[in-house]
Amino acid sequence: MGELLKNAIDWAFQPTLYFAGTVGALFAVLFWRKLFSKTVVITVFFAVGTVFMLWAPSDPDFKKIITKPDNIPIVILIASVVFFTWLALRQAVDNDRAIAKGEPTLEAGLGKKKVFTWPDLVYVEFICLILFTAFLIVWSLKVQAPIEEPAATARTPNPSKAPWYFLGLQEMLVYFDPWIAGVVLPGFIIVGLMAIPYLDTNPKGNGYYTFNERPFAFSFFTAGFLLFWVSFVILGTFLRGPNWSFFGPFEYWDLHKLEPLVNVDLSTYFWNMLGQPKPLDPLVREAPGIVALLGFFLVLPPLLGKTVLKGMVKSMGVVRFNVFMHLMLWFALLPIKMILRWTINLKYIVGIPEWFFNV
Amino acid sequence: MQKLFQAIRQSQIWRSIFRHGYPDTPRNRTLAVLSNTFLHLHPVKVRRSGIRLSYTWCMGGLTFFLFLIETITGLLLMFYYHPTADKAYEDIWALREHVPLGIMREMHRWAAHLMVITVWLHMYRVFLTGSYKPPREFNWNVGVILLVLTLLLSFTGYLLPWDQLAVWAITVGSNMARATPFLGHEGPGASLLSFGGLNLVHAGDDARFGLLAGRFVGEGALLRFYVLHCVGLPLAAAFLMAIHFWRVRKDGGISGPL
Ligand code: HEM
């Protein structure tokens, strides 16, 4: 029974299913938000989570990864992200209900009323501070900070992992070369975050929780943060072992587990289809991928702006629209590449290793 | 007892520090906030809706608090640590072996992890309450830089124990810089920057070299990360936090319905 369950969990956590599962779960939670913001939901989640955390460490392989001192924060991360998403959704649902009835939101109901900082704010801060300090001290007494063998540049540990908060980027290395996963995409994440206040022209939803008044912004940000950042960190921490191969949570980290690498470039597919040898000039050889990318980045935005998203261009203005579209397309490249990898084993859309230019 | 407290409160020393009576009247409550260096970061009065725990999650405050813990514990750790390749590891080991009940390193490490989590959650709540919208656009941007600084602080600190975990995590992380377009020797475009057949960008002068002060994670990188971790980045973060808090007030306090 236990083994069966473990095997089922290992199977369900393989990257494709894991990703599809998280996407589906977030979609369901946002779509049925009235249901999912009920108190029983979060109670059941934490009850099941607690039972799982009591049972699962009886498995030696699970215990090994979960009790690594530096992995404890990830468990805290999972619990807090779920809880706070629930809390935000709950308040958004309540407020949306009030707005629909023409009543003031919770925040507006408390209104312009002002209270003294001392004591009303100071004591909340103080309690937070005391509880947090106590928590930290207990944690520090219980768990020793790790120290491994002294640095040896000749001996590479397997797996070599970046610090946990960068594991999302390391996971992207599966799908992209370092210049995209490690430089361009993080750069665009920072630029994109900074651009948010200037791109979001919706005046509503400023200073209170709401979903209905800003459905796109709410869904997009939760998706970006939860699916492509937090869940990648979790994947990178718990489910990636030696050689960055996938391992289920109950699987032994076998150094010799090999995943067959059969990935193929787009150009290979293309010239094979034409039944011709690959041309020598890289630009000609990679022409199909180059055309696809140019179309994606240069033709798609104006095309969408003239047709489906006409209204958006009008309300945002041309400059905002174009900046927005380009950021979106860069982010879209990640799931596109992931799906192409899983379905047709695509390695590179454009692969010019001669110039380190692989997309 | 009562008398003793009374006497203390009326002594010249006490009154030189606290220039107001017990904060139970509006006047004294105002003075308590205004005349205290730390509390005066706050306005005297705040919006009721903005200080609910379920609204802010206290995440900005906790991030700041964790930053203070890091400063204090970090300072203590600096007394015992030499940023050199032959001393660093031994010093960390000695902290564990020779200090009974020593938890400074633990506090420093766990608080650092937590700070990364709280800063993410803070950003999450600021987004979900739409608090980046006018007039708070600029403060959101200050926040994004603070987020990057928090991650860099953690990243530079990760190297300092100088064990296998540290060195290889930084190696993996900094390998990315090798692939920076034009600036890394394995980045697209770098080969275009050549002069008479000589590459201008190579392993000995590219972005990664600048980060690590060498071709691999060695003593130069340790010193560079140490200085950034203990001086450069904390100063930058403290500076930006001052701006951040000031702007929270100048933008009308914690956000609420207009
Ligand atoms: C070291 C990191 C940071 C510290 C110490 C910090 C601290 C704070 C504090 C104490 C507040 C008061 C309200 C609250 O607690 O929620 C605040 C508000 C704010 N923070 Fe941060 N913050 C940091 C990072 C960030 C980041 C990463 C962002 C966004 C990307 C951000 C954006 C904002 C904005 C827009 C406000 C105003 C919110 C409102 O008025 O409701 N901050 N910050």
Side-chain angles (χ1 to χ4, degrees):
Chain A
M1 176 59 198
E3 281 310 305
L4 214 64
L5 186 60
K6 284 180 193 172
N7 288 340
I9 292 176
D10 280 347
W11 177 80
F13 270 92
Q14 57 183 294
T16 40
L17 285 181
Y18 174 83
F19 183 70
T22 50
V23 172
L26 182 67
F27 185 81
V29 166
L30 291 181
F31 191 79
W32 288 293
R33 54 191 176 280
K34 285 208 179 99
L35 176 69
F36 277 99
S37 61
K38 287 198 189 326
T39 313
V40 286
V41 174
I42 196 74
T43 320
V44 168
F45 175 85
F46 276 99
V48 173
T50 312
V51 171
F52 180 78
M53 289 305 279
L54 289 176
W55 163 73
S58 63
D59 179 276
D61 294 317
F62 185 84
K63 187 163 179 183
K64 217 170 177 176
I65 53 167
I66 207 79
T67 53
K68 254 182 130 170
D70 276 334
N71 287 355
I72 294 171
I74 321 294
V75 180
I76 299 178
L77 177 70
I78 298 174
S80 54
V81 153
V82 168
F83 175 75
F84 284 116
T85 302
W86 174 83
L87 186 64
L89 211 54
R90 161 112 191 177
Q91 297 177 77
V93 165
D94 285 348
N95 279 341
D96 286 340
R97 197 178 288 132
I99 293 168
K101 279 201 231 142
E103 291 166 5
T105 57
L106 180 59
E107 288 84 354
L110 294 165
K112 299 260 180 285
K113 200 173 133 219
K114 290 209 166 181
V115 293
F116 276 104
T117 296
W118 184 297
D120 292 74
L121 175 55
V122 174
Y123 93 89
V124 178
E125 291 176 337
F126 196 64
I127 293 174
C128 274
L129 196 148
I130 300 278
L131 289 179
F132 226 63
T133 313
F135 173 66
L136 251 181
I137 291 178
V138 172
W139 184 3
S140 301
L141 283 171
K142 285 261 174 231
V143 187
Q144 229 179 11
I147 175 118
E148 298 189 352
E149 285 148 44
T153 16
R155 248 182 316 117
T156 318
N158 190 3
S160 291
K161 290 191 179 184
W164 61 269
Y165 36 85
F166 286 148
L167 286 184
L169 302 178
Q170 204 175 350
E171 177 63 20
M172 288 182 206
L173 282 177
V174 175
Y175 307 100
F176 288 112
D177 274 16
W179 75 277
I180 296 189
V183 184
V184 175
L185 282 180
F188 274 125
I189 291 175
I190 296 170
V191 173
L193 282 173
M194 291 186 128
I196 283 176
Y198 307 101
L199 293 177
D200 183 357
T201 50
N202 175 4
K204 286 188 185 158
N206 183 348
Y208 50 95
Y209 291 95
T210 172
F211 184 91
N212 289 351
E213 290 194 338
R214 47 201 294 254
F216 175 76
F218 197 112
S219 323
F220 180 68
F221 197 82
T222 41
F225 179 58
L226 299 176
L227 301 182
F228 290 98
W229 194 256
V230 174
S231 104
F232 273 31
V233 168
I234 299 167
L235 180 66
T237 309
F238 294 130
L239 306 174
R240 292 290 186 186
N243 311 319
W244 209 251
S245 298
F246 163 79
F247 290 87
F250 297 103
E251 204 171 326
Y252 171 67
W253 279 18
D254 182 356
L255 279 174
H256 305 291
K257 174 168 177 171
L258 278 186
E259 285 174 354
L261 278 177
V262 286
N263 298 329
V264 183
D265 286 351
L266 184 67
S267 56
T268 311
Y269 275 120
F270 183 79
W271 297 109
N272 274 354
M273 209 169 67
L274 293 188
Q276 297 207 6
K278 276 193 184 184
L280 287 179
D281 185 342
L283 282 179
V284 182
R285 183 188 72 210
E286 299 300 328
I290 295 174
V291 170
L293 278 187
L294 286 180
F296 186 66
F297 281 112
L298 297 182
V299 182
L300 206 55
L303 194 69
L304 288 174
K306 288 256 153 54
T307 53
V308 198
L309 301 177
K310 221 178 191 160
M312 236 170 118
V313 181
K314 213 167 187 179
S315 66
M316 292 176 83
V318 178
V319 177
R320 278 203 190 90
F321 178 78
N322 275 302
V323 174
F324 174 73
M325 279 310 285
H326 278 275
L327 287 170
M328 293 298 273
L329 290 179
W330 272 102
F331 292 134
L333 209 54
L334 177 61
I336 290 176
K337 189 84 189 278
M338 288 164 71
I339 289 168
L340 287 176
R341 174 67 56 82
W342 295 331
T343 48
I344 61 169
N345 288 321
L346 185 77
K347 187 161 180 214
Y348 293 127
I349 299 171
V350 174
I352 313 183
E354 297 92 322
W355 306 340
F356 298 115
F357 187 86
N358 303 314
V359 179
Chain B
M1 208 56 175
Q2 201 84 46
K3 271 218 179 105
L4 182 67
F5 281 139
Q6 193 96 36
I8 292 178
R9 278 234 188 85
Q10 263 153 25
S11 70
Q12 194 182 353
I13 296 178
W14 180 277
R15 280 188 298 141
S16 71
I17 303 174
F18 301 104
R19 298 189 169 166
H20 52 79
Y22 190 77
D24 50 4
T25 63
R27 184 188 131 82
N28 279 343
R29 283 178 174 176
T30 308
L31 283 175
V33 171
L34 284 184
S35 64
N36 182 303
T37 323
F38 307 104
L39 292 179
H40 101 278
L41 280 175
H42 299 305
V44 172
K45 286 182 133 191
V46 286
R47 246 201 223 104
R48 178 70 193 89
S49 76
I51 60 167
R52 281 174 311 123
L53 214 46
S54 56
Y55 185 74
T56 65
W57 311 344
C58 205
M59 280 304 156
L62 283 178
T63 311
F64 181 52
F65 170 60
L66 287 166
F67 181 74
L68 294 181
I69 294 206
E70 289 301 281
T71 311
I72 297 166
T73 53
L75 191 91
L76 291 171
L77 289 173
M78 278 175 81
F79 288 139
Y80 296 96
Y81 177 83
H82 302 81
T84 58
D86 48 350
K87 280 267 183 79
Y89 181 77
E90 272 175 38
D91 287 343
I92 299 286
W93 193 250
L95 270 176
R96 157 182 294 214
E97 290 295 294
H98 303 319
V99 188
L101 278 183
I103 56 168
M104 281 309 124
R105 190 173 161 238
E106 278 68 22
M107 292 266 280
H108 197 73
R109 195 179 185 96
W110 305 144
H113 286 333
L114 277 181
M115 186 171 165
V116 172
I117 297 178
T118 56
V119 78
W120 288 359
L121 289 173
H122 173 55
M123 177 181 71
Y124 195 35
R125 102 79 191 148
V126 170
F127 186 92
L128 293 181
T129 55
S131 303
Y132 57 85
K133 299 189 177 194
R136 297 184 179 79
E137 307 101 307
F138 177 72
N139 215 13
W140 167 270
N141 276 284
V142 175
V144 174
I145 302 175
L146 276 169
L147 170 78
V148 175
L149 285 178
T150 307
L151 293 177
L152 287 180
L153 267 169
S154 198
F155 187 68
T156 48
Y158 215 85
L159 180 63
L160 302 184
W162 206 243
D163 60 348
Q164 280 287 69
L165 189 67
V167 169
W168 286 97
I170 302 305
T171 304
V172 170
S174 58
N175 269 346
M176 307 260 191
R178 192 152 65 180
T180 316
F182 298 109
L183 297 178
H185 75 279
E186 285 180 8
S191 52
L192 296 177
L193 301 176
S194 66
F195 185 74
L198 263 166
N199 275 342
L200 292 184
V201 179
H202 52 79
D205 71 352
D206 67 346
R208 182 165 184 274
F209 189 90
L211 193 65
L212 298 181
R215 285 163 202 258
F216 55 88
V217 179
E219 184 139 58
L222 182 58
L223 184 60
R224 200 159 280 204
F225 276 43
Y226 175 76
V227 172
L228 283 176
H229 184 75
C230 300
V231 186
L233 294 170
L235 275 182
F239 183 71
L240 281 167
M241 279 181 203
I243 301 179
H244 196 60
F245 300 156
W246 182 244
R247 284 301 288 244
V248 171
R249 281 190 62 179
K250 290 295 126 180
D251 294 340
I254 309 275
S255 58
L258 298 174

